Amino acid sequence: MKRCIFLFLGMAAACLPVFSAEPAPAPTTSGGAREGEFQVVADQFADIQVLRYRVPGFDQLTLQQKKLAYYLTEAGLAGRDIFYDQKYKHNLAIRKTLEAILKTYSGDKNADEFKKLAVYAKRFFFSNGIHHHYSTAKFVPECSADFFKGVLAKTDKAKLPLEGKSLEEFTAAITPIIFDPKLDAKMVDLSPDIDNVKASAVNFYQGVTEDEVNKYYEQLKEKSSNKLLSFGLNSQVVKQDGKVAERAWKVGGLYGPALSKVVFWLKKAVEVAETDQQKEHLRHLIKYYETGDLEHFDQHAIAWVKETEARVDVVNGFIEVYQDPLQMKGSFESVVSIKDMEASKRIAAISAQAQWFEDNSPIMKEHKKANVVGISAKVITVVGEVGDAAPATPVGINLPNPNWIREKHGSKSVMLGNIAEAYNHVKARSPATEEFAATPEIAQRIKKYGALASNLHVDMHEVIGHASGRINEGVATPDKTLQTYAGTLEEARADLVALYYAMDKKLVDIGVMPSQEVGKAEYDQYIMNGLQTQLFRIRPGDNLEQAHMRNRQLVSSWAYEKGKANNVIEKISRDGKTYFRINDYEKLQELFGQLLREIQRLKSEGDYNAAKNLVETYGVKVDQALLKEVHQRYEKLNIAPYQGFIQARLLPVTRGEEITDVKVEYPNDFLGQMLEYGEKYSLLPVRN
């Protein structure tokens, strides 16, 4: 999905009704408890805080809708193994090894070294593998390799994925894979002027070079009668008998056992689908998994966009390409949700004005859409997430990704309301706002309006940001023309649309915000995050790799540099600390408009060289002195830079083989849920 990971460290991000700046009344859980009785924070380790979300409104669904949500959730969980394997070829073997250790190790589990190994296991499960979920850099256990070898000797061998090896051979093979930081050090390496395929450990390619992959797909597209297909979306590229070939992800192909089970649950979902349109998009999705035919995926996407009446909805498939250095191959994910009827009024008000926003955009006239079609928008309540959407989750979604579908048939934009609510519970209590705000007045404005400002940014980022602009005729898709910079520039463009309009009186006129003070709060927290607080998420010495982080720094640092002559954003040093203060919000809005115009030009014209220069100049390199300072200041706050979620559990109530009800439970043990999933949803074999 065009995905919004829009979380400001230490700042609120809540789903509030219309434009009230006051906290909404605490909703109840399915058991009737008030928010104060619901434990949002479940665990904290390393740089991770694990949260819980509620699913308000589930009890009010019909039995048919509950069954649909349950079947779709199971379909997602059936594909869980796929994402592990996509991220790294040894992830499944490592996961099964850690599961065996945690369940059968006969030694002292209270020993310090074992506790360090347990933390590594939690980090592994949170990241769906050995590479950090955000930076994609490899992380290693803090316990010693010798201790790990001893642990394997005291673990039930029958539970280890030995795959024909002796324990000694298995130990010798897996230990360096886990402990050597230089072995497969980056899952995705986007460094310029290198072979990004060979440098990346992601399991989308085996034995091929970047040049070979590009030539393969150029020839494939040239031979195809349908040039609009998302070539390479659902396959691994390998070299067989000296020739480049694809291994399709489909039933009977790569990931066949897991996809067969996904299809099983999708077929049950079709039986209880709410509308004929929903049945149609699910049937195309099933055909896509059964055949690997990308035309069925496009037909599924078109039918999914047109389906706007059902209360229960799902995103399921090989969707986002952020994990691919070539921005082609989709990672498996599933998001099952129900529509929040009341909260959707705000986002629908923005969607209804999509053409006005496009017409009044600062981008060039020739890059504007003459007719913005089919944007549907809503706030959703997440029921369950898997794969590339969990445990770390976006707060906004806009799909489908193919530009031709978006231009001809429209798109769906959603905000994940209950996820934002859980984030707000934690962020609103964070001391980071006071620590990094340049003045007490700025901190107060953020605390008063920051939650609503964040919500409106997500709404506009997804609804009008990703849906805006057009690609010139004859220009290939941005993912192809802009290559490794495509994701960063797409997110920057969507952010800039939201930022440009955050200060526009139009939002007051349509009733979604009370005053332009909300827009100022958005500018305050965006610049603070883009120039400073997000640096807490990377290690000293590192530069930026992740697309959303590059995007936020690009936008903020470009505006800072271009506004220096007029002191639009001022860098302040006070008591040994650095602050950034906005002195002219109107001029900053103008700068955002100028950058939006240029980035849309890059995308519309496919200007790779200018795109590379822009991202590399403003979005990659980090001020290491500032990075060190940010870490020192955060150390005193005891805040984890990343959050993610334990998933709600849907439990069917049965009479014989008949489901008579479905209940929601809220587990509070992250590691326990991961082990439970390992028991129930391990469907793919370990491959050496």
Side-chain angles (χ1 to χ4, degrees), residues 362-373:
I363 65 177
M364 298 178 190
K365 183 177 180 180
E366 58 267 32
H367 298 155
K368 293 181 181 181
K369 289 181 178 177
N371 183 27
V372 180
V373 299

Side-chain angles (χ1 to χ4, degrees), residues 242-304:
K243 294 183 179 180
V244 178
E246 281 186 300
R247 302 174 68 195
W249 305 328
K250 64 177 183 177
V251 175
L254 196 57
Y255 302 142
L259 290 174
S260 293
K261 198 66 174 177
V262 172
V263 166
F264 169 83
W265 288 110
L266 289 177
K267 287 181 176 179
K268 294 183 76 67
V270 169
E271 296 174 2
V272 292
E274 296 183 65
T275 68
D276 289 341
Q277 193 72 37
Q278 191 173 59
K279 288 181 181 179
E280 181 181 349
H281 85 68
L282 289 174
R283 284 172 175 154
H284 277 297
L285 182 60
I286 290 167
K287 281 289 187 184
Y288 168 59
Y289 284 144
E290 289 178 333
T291 65
D293 187 342
L294 287 165
E295 291 200 20
H296 279 298
F297 184 70
D298 286 346
Q299 292 305 310
H300 151 72
I302 293 168
W304 177 80

Side-chain angles (χ1 to χ4, degrees), residues 56-354:
F58 190 86
D59 286 349
Q60 283 70 56
L61 298 179
T62 66
L63 178 58
Q64 177 187 353
Q65 290 169 328
K66 289 179 179 179
K67 285 182 179 180
L68 177 59
Y70 170 67
Y71 295 148
L72 292 173
T73 300
E74 289 296 305
L77 288 165
R80 177 176 179 257
D81 274 2
I82 295 173
F83 188 50
Y84 275 91
D85 192 71
Q86 286 180 317
K87 291 190 73 176
Y88 183 52
K89 61 185 177 182
H90 297 301
N91 273 342
L92 287 178
I94 297 168
R95 196 191 78 199
K96 292 176 188 295
T97 299
L98 293 172
E99 289 168 348
I101 289 170
L102 292 169
K103 289 187 288 187
T104 71
Y105 174 59
S106 59
D108 181 6
K109 292 186 177 181
N110 291 316
D112 287 343
E113 288 282 272
F114 189 85
K115 289 180 180 178
K116 292 177 181 178
L117 183 58
V119 168
Y120 173 79
K122 289 182 180 182
R123 296 185 70 189
F124 176 90
F125 287 122
F126 191 90
S127 295
N128 296 282
I130 68 170
H131 297 93
H132 195 278
H133 74 285
Y134 212 77
S135 72
T136 82
K138 183 178 181 178
F139 54 88
V140 299
E142 293 187 1
C143 66
S144 70
D146 286 341
F147 176 78
F148 175 75
K149 294 174 183 178
V151 167
L152 289 180
K154 294 182 179 180
T155 297
D156 185 350
K157 297 178 183 58
K159 300 294 184 181
L160 291 170
L162 300 181
E163 304 301 312
K165 294 187 178 74
S166 68
L167 178 61
E168 291 74 18
E169 291 171 330
F170 174 76
T171 301
I174 202 167
T175 301
I177 292 173
I178 294 175
F179 282 87
D180 185 349
K182 295 181 180 179
L183 180 63
D184 297 325
K186 291 296 295 289
M187 191 189 79
V188 181
D189 192 330
L190 298 180
S191 301
D193 306 320
I194 66 169
D195 188 319
N196 297 111
V197 166
K198 294 183 72 174
S200 301
V202 69
N203 195 24
F204 293 143
Y205 309 100
Q206 287 189 7
V208 291
T209 67
E210 180 176 346
D211 185 58
E212 287 173 329
V213 174
N214 286 330
K215 287 181 179 178
Y216 175 82
Y217 282 112
E218 286 170 6
Q219 293 171 359
L220 195 65
K221 183 175 182 179
E222 190 176 312
K223 295 176 183 177
S224 176
S225 60
N226 184 352
K227 311 297 186 185
L228 298 175
L229 296 177
S230 299
F231 294 96
L233 184 69
N234 62 333
S235 66
Q236 181 189 64
V237 180
V238 298
K239 190 170 285 186
Q240 296 176 341
D241 300 324
K243 294 183 179 180
V244 178
E246 281 186 300
R247 302 174 68 195
W249 305 328
K250 64 177 183 177
V251 175
L254 196 57
Y255 302 142
L259 290 174
S260 293
K261 198 66 174 177
V262 172
V263 166
F264 169 83
W265 288 110
L266 289 177
K267 287 181 176 179
K268 294 183 76 67
V270 169
E271 296 174 2
V272 292
E274 296 183 65
T275 68
D276 289 341
Q277 193 72 37
Q278 191 173 59
K279 288 181 181 179
E280 181 181 349
H281 85 68
L282 289 174
R283 284 172 175 154
H284 277 297
L285 182 60
I286 290 167
K287 281 289 187 184
Y288 168 59
Y289 284 144
E290 289 178 333
T291 65
D293 187 342
L294 287 165
E295 291 200 20
H296 279 298
F297 184 70
D298 286 346
Q299 292 305 310
H300 151 72
I302 293 168
W304 177 80
V305 165
K306 293 179 180 178
E307 204 302 294
T308 59
E309 300 300 320
R311 183 80 187 275
V312 179
D313 202 358
V314 66
V315 171
N316 185 299
F318 305 116
I319 308 294
E320 292 301 345
V321 298
Y322 294 112
Q323 311 291 349
D324 178 11
L326 300 187
Q327 309 277 284
M328 259 190 299
K329 305 209 167 288
S331 299
F332 180 83
E333 68 177 80
S334 171
V335 179
V336 180
S337 63
I338 57 178
K339 185 175 182 179
D340 184 328
M341 306 302 289
E342 183 62 29
S344 292
K345 294 177 181 178
R346 182 195 69 242
I347 197 170
I350 293 172
S351 175
Q353 298 294 324

